[in-house]
Amino acid sequence: MMLVKDIMSDEIHYVKVPGNRHNAMSLMREKNVSGVPVVKDGTNELVGIITRSDLVGNPDEEQIALMMSRNPVTTHPDEDVREVASKIVENKIRRVPVVENNELVGIITAYDLIAHAISQIEINDPVKKYMLKTIPTTWEKTPLNVAFEIMRFFNLKVLLSVNKDGKLSGVLTETDFLNESEVVSEKTVHNTSVGTEGDKWSWDSTSVLYVIKNHLKFSDKEVKDVANTEVVTATSRTSVTECALKMKQKNIEQIPVTNVEGDLVGLVRATDLIKALTD
């Protein structure tokens, strides 16, 4: 039996409340992580968790407390890693804070389960049993803003690019998009004509409403300018453990799956592979 304390990271990157978007964004970029726990200022009490998706999905919001997920799923240092794997799969999450005596003491991620659990045991099931077959793809010359909308449509954290021949050419993650964007404010003007009470000779007045809304603005780059072109792939027959080893060696959380001709047939993520621990 392998326990959470055997593989969890006790080097915890976290943000505090009160805090703002800039605090969270800066930490995620500096540490190259996709989400961090949130603690109450002056304590180690866990109060939430905030992810890149929260930042991307709430461009109008500045305060961490209003973007974070409250009451996150947690674990304990002495819990079996298979139980944590079940929590990740059932709740469709990628990370679980580790709490002891109501204090944050660590974090365990889907990648930790891949690198320190699945890669260490022999699971010979082929990845085709766990891979996604509906694959988010786009042409490598697609503008970033369009590619971002494609990724959001699939509700995934990764997008694959193909060249003019339809062959896999690169991989983009949510981090790549975030690093190529900024939050900008845009003001729109809405005019509303309002007739005054009285007869037909009365004057019309105009009410002007100014609406300021924040949104993500992307650079003018194309997908090929940002995507990682050194793509690690697997085949549908690659075993779960072999695929986990590839993820560990390259420090990645997703691998495209191709057939013998090199055609794209699927995508397997860390969160997909850990289902093998729960079967």
Side-chain angles (χ1 to χ4, degrees):
M1 183 173 67
M2 187 177 293
L3 303 179
V4 166
K5 63 185 176 184
D6 298 326
I7 66 173
M8 75 180 192
S9 173
D10 53 13
E11 180 184 357
I12 319 165
H13 308 304
Y14 60 85
V15 292
K16 303 175 182 178
V17 287
N20 57 40
R21 167 185 293 275
H22 177 73
N23 300 145
M25 181 88 76
S26 297
L27 181 63
M28 289 183 200
R29 282 176 169 167
E30 178 188 350
K31 302 301 181 182
N32 193 29
V33 294
S34 59
V36 290
V38 183
V39 301
K40 187 176 180 181
D41 191 22
T43 73
N44 279 331
E45 179 188 352
L46 179 72
V47 294
I49 195 162
I50 187 166
T51 68
R52 287 188 306 237
S53 296
D54 296 323
L55 297 175
V56 169
N58 297 278
D60 281 319
E61 190 51 67
E62 282 296 319
Q63 296 303 311
I64 288 175
L66 297 178
M67 290 186 285
M68 71 182 189
S69 297
R70 300 174 182 270
N71 302 314
V73 175
T74 63
T75 184
H76 186 275
D78 292 322
E79 188 168 40
D80 191 303
V81 295
R82 294 179 186 271
E83 293 299 321
V84 181
S86 295
K87 290 179 179 181
I88 288 176
V89 171
E90 291 169 5
N91 293 280
K92 298 180 181 179
I93 54 180
R94 297 166 67 188
R95 61 193 60 78
V96 180
V98 185
V99 176
E100 188 172 24
N101 298 324
N102 295 321
E103 291 193 346
L104 179 67
V105 296
I107 191 163
I108 186 167
T109 67
Y111 178 79
D112 293 327
L113 291 172
I114 291 295
H116 307 299
I118 294 180
S119 66
Q120 305 299 318
I121 58 181
E122 191 171 344
I123 303 178
N124 293 319
D125 290 345
V127 296
K128 67 179 180 181
K129 182 178 178 181
Y130 302 99
M131 71 182 188
L132 295 176
K133 295 180 181 179
T134 302
I135 316 159
T137 59
T138 189
W139 186 34
E140 63 184 7
K141 290 189 177 182
T142 301
L144 281 184
N145 64 316
V146 177
F148 178 71
E149 293 302 323
I150 294 172
M151 186 185 73
R152 287 212 303 180
F153 177 81
F154 280 91
N155 195 29
L156 295 176
K157 315 297 183 186
V158 62
L159 184 66
L160 307 181
S161 65
V162 295
N163 59 25
K164 61 183 179 63
D165 299 316
K167 298 294 185 181
L168 179 67
S169 63
V171 177
L172 292 98
T173 66
E174 197 174 44
T175 300
D176 297 321
F177 284 105
L178 200 58
N179 289 341
E180 293 292 334
S181 67
E182 61 178 336
V183 176
V184 297
S185 296
E186 183 179 73
K187 182 170 69 175
T188 57
V189 180
H190 301 267
N191 295 322
T192 305
S193 296
V194 180
T196 58
E197 291 185 2
D199 58 22
K200 63 181 180 180
W201 300 107
S202 63
W203 293 94
D204 286 338
S205 62
T206 300
S207 176
V208 179
L209 177 65
Y210 295 94
V211 178
I212 298 178
K213 185 174 180 61
N214 292 337
H215 64 93
L216 286 180
K217 181 180 180 181
F218 292 92
S219 66
D220 293 330
K221 295 178 182 178
E222 297 175 343
V223 165
K224 62 181 176 59
D225 301 319
V226 178
N228 176 14
T229 56
E230 297 180 3
V231 185
V232 177
T233 62
T235 70
S236 58
R237 294 184 179 181
T238 301
S239 73
V240 167
T241 298
E242 185 181 350
C243 198
L245 284 170
K246 288 188 176 188
M247 288 184 179
K248 179 180 180 180
Q249 290 164 0
K250 297 296 182 179
N251 192 27
I252 55 178
E253 293 189 44
Q254 57 278 314
I255 293 181
V257 182
T258 60
N259 60 21
V260 291
E261 287 82 23
D263 297 320
L264 189 62
V265 296
L267 174 71
V268 62
R269 305 162 298 172
T271 49
D272 298 319
L273 285 188
I274 65 173
K275 293 176 184 176
L277 284 176
T278 66
D279 286 349

